[in-house]
Amino acid sequence: MKSIKDAIFRGDFRPGQSLPSEKDLSLQLGVSRPVLREALRALQIQGFLDVRRGSRGGTYVTDLSNISIRDNLEDLLRIGKLSMADLTQARFLLEPEVFRLAAQNATDEQLTEMEAVVHDAGATRDLRLRIQLHSDFHRLVAIATGSEIYLRFMQIIFDFLEVFAVNIQPEDFQVHDDQDHEEIFDALKRRDGELAARLAKSHAEKVTKAMIKLEKQWMKSLEAQES
């Protein structure tokens, strides 16, 4: 992982650039492909890489300016200057418009990518993978809006929420039902922006309650570590 990160910092891989294939990269670094996959996934969670699906799929270097913002969110949360309710409120306000625009602007290829992610999330029993796929769905919707500013805001929010949920999620806890995304995707596929927006609000309300519970659990764990 360090070798890839160092290469990014040196500028060998620039924002928006695709990394070599998994086979080529494992040979370059002299590591096995399973080890490489774990390293790439860790870098994706940290915000250095973006894994895309579809005909233009691959592993791309992200805009590193998002990383410091995400880390700052965690720091603000920890010292009590920001709450999970604040973050989810921002999401509650943004997402209806994001989903409305995506219903209008999504290409058939983008809808196919969304459908695959929704299906995979419903099929897996791996809770960490389910969190990743749920976050990927929202990122794909943001991309489909065609708005760079909405995409940037949603990436920051979901990069943070994904890492937060993955790091502290109990084994028996689920942030939301898979059915939520299935219903939203159906509205997007039918190009019903108003329905997608209404479902997004309802979905955000459910997620807010779940994330606030996780926040309380996280704060207790921090207090236990410091005592």
Side-chain angles (χ1 to χ4, degrees), residues 129-166:
L129 179 58
R130 182 178 291 125
I131 291 172
Q132 174 197 340
L133 291 168
H134 283 166
S135 298
D136 285 347
F137 174 69
H138 287 273
R139 293 186 185 103
L140 288 172
V141 172
I143 291 170
T145 65
S147 167
E148 185 63 31
I149 191 67
Y150 279 138
L151 173 58
R152 182 63 63 90
F153 283 146
M154 297 307 290
Q155 281 182 329
I156 291 170
I157 291 172
F158 280 94
D159 285 353
F160 172 75
L161 291 178
E162 179 182 342
V163 172
F164 185 82
V166 164

Side-chain angles (χ1 to χ4, degrees), residues 32-85:
S32 68
R33 293 172 77 170
V35 169
L36 176 64
R37 289 191 198 106
E38 287 297 316
L40 293 177
R41 180 60 193 148
L43 288 171
Q44 183 187 7
I45 289 176
Q46 291 175 19
F48 285 88
L49 300 176
D50 177 29
V51 178
R52 304 175 191 172
R53 304 169 188 274
S55 60
R56 296 182 182 179
T59 302
Y60 293 80
V61 178
T62 60
D63 182 344
L64 299 184
S65 63
N66 285 349
I67 297 176
S68 61
I69 296 173
R70 190 201 66 203
D71 291 342
N72 285 341
L73 291 179
E74 181 173 341
D75 291 339
L76 290 171
L77 195 68
R78 184 166 186 168
I79 64 175
K81 297 296 184 180
L82 182 74
S83 71
M84 191 58 67

